[in-house]
Amino acid sequence: MTDTSIPSAEQSVDEETRATVPGDEEPTETETGTPKKAASESDLFAQSEIAADYIEGLLDILDYDGDIDELVSAGRPVVEVVGGRLQNLVGQRGATLEALQELARLAVFRQTGSPSRLLLDIGGYRATRRKELAAVARNAVEKVKEHGEPVRLEPMSAFERKCVHDVVNAISGVASESEGVEPNRRIIVRPAD
């Protein structure tokens, strides 16, 4: 197997397609096995508003300036924070961002009683990271096609793994799967069966 590293953000990539990969998607059934009721657009927007209020309060406490947008994208509530001096809220490799996203999800759960698939982005980090990960995925696919051997990628968050799976699944002749346990869960890209 080959290990790969993350390329720089300046590398050009195309937008990836959206796909579902076992083990890295959000669950669609409740613990009892009954299908979840899909949230309406207004429910999702309400979730993004709750999360935005929470994040705004946090920014006030930290004395950070940022513009907050609430929206619904691809059936998920989204909160985007833009502004200068926000890098500390992203943290190394997005670790602080992931923690803030979980706190915002808890704030939504506390008010609604329902779990949320809220996506939080700060300073455009996720869009930039998505492009970097698309390049990593394409690099791994090239190595798999060239050598015919599986490639193990470094451990990634669920968001990062989903980005890579989406790109790999859009390319014929290769497949991807996740292995390991958080926080060391990683992707293996291999020749398709």
Side-chain angles (χ1 to χ4, degrees):
M1 288 195 191
T2 307
D3 283 324
T4 61
S5 60
I6 308 266
S8 68
E10 291 84 35
Q11 290 180 312
S12 170
V13 293
D14 300 326
E15 280 298 314
E16 71 280 353
T17 58
R18 302 280 180 228
T20 302
V21 177
D24 287 328
E25 74 278 359
E26 298 288 333
T28 57
E29 294 185 353
T30 63
E31 295 284 327
T32 61
T34 57
K36 282 185 179 180
K37 180 183 162 195
S40 70
E41 186 90 7
S42 62
D43 290 341
L44 295 174
F45 188 74
Q47 289 180 21
S48 67
E49 287 181 317
I50 293 167
D53 289 344
Y54 177 82
I55 296 298
E56 184 176 16
L58 180 66
L59 291 176
D60 287 344
I61 291 168
L62 297 172
D63 196 28
Y64 280 27
D65 290 325
D67 293 325
I68 301 174
D69 293 324
E70 312 98 17
L71 55 134
V72 175
S73 177
R76 291 180 85 159
V78 178
V79 173
E80 296 176 343
V81 183
V82 293
R85 224 187 79 193
L86 296 175
Q87 187 57 37
N88 288 340
L89 296 179
V90 173
Q92 185 178 11
R93 298 238 358 239
T96 306
L97 173 60
E98 291 291 331
L100 291 173
Q101 177 175 277
E102 287 306 310
L103 289 172
R105 285 178 175 181
L106 285 172
V108 172
F109 180 76
R110 188 171 172 196
Q111 285 196 26
T112 66
S114 299
S116 176
R117 296 181 59 229
L118 173 84
L119 186 66
L120 174 64
D121 192 11
I122 297 176
Y125 173 80
R126 291 199 189 272
T128 301
R129 186 71 176 138
R130 191 174 281 120
K131 289 178 183 179
E132 291 172 351
L133 291 165
V136 168
R138 287 187 181 92
N139 183 34
V141 166
E142 286 176 20
K143 288 182 180 182
V144 168
K145 287 186 172 186
E146 182 179 332
H147 302 291
E149 293 184 17
V151 173
R152 291 180 76 201
L153 301 176
E154 64 187 48
M156 298 178 185
S157 69
F159 162 76
E160 293 172 323
R161 290 191 310 271
K162 172 111 173 58
C163 292
V164 172
H165 285 306
D166 287 348
V167 172
V168 172
N169 288 337
I171 301 172
S172 63
V174 292
S176 62
E177 60 189 35
S178 293
E179 72 170 12
V181 180
E182 296 292 353
N184 296 314
R185 195 157 168 80
R186 65 179 63 226
I187 292 178
I188 306 289
V189 181
R190 59 176 172 72
D193 296 330

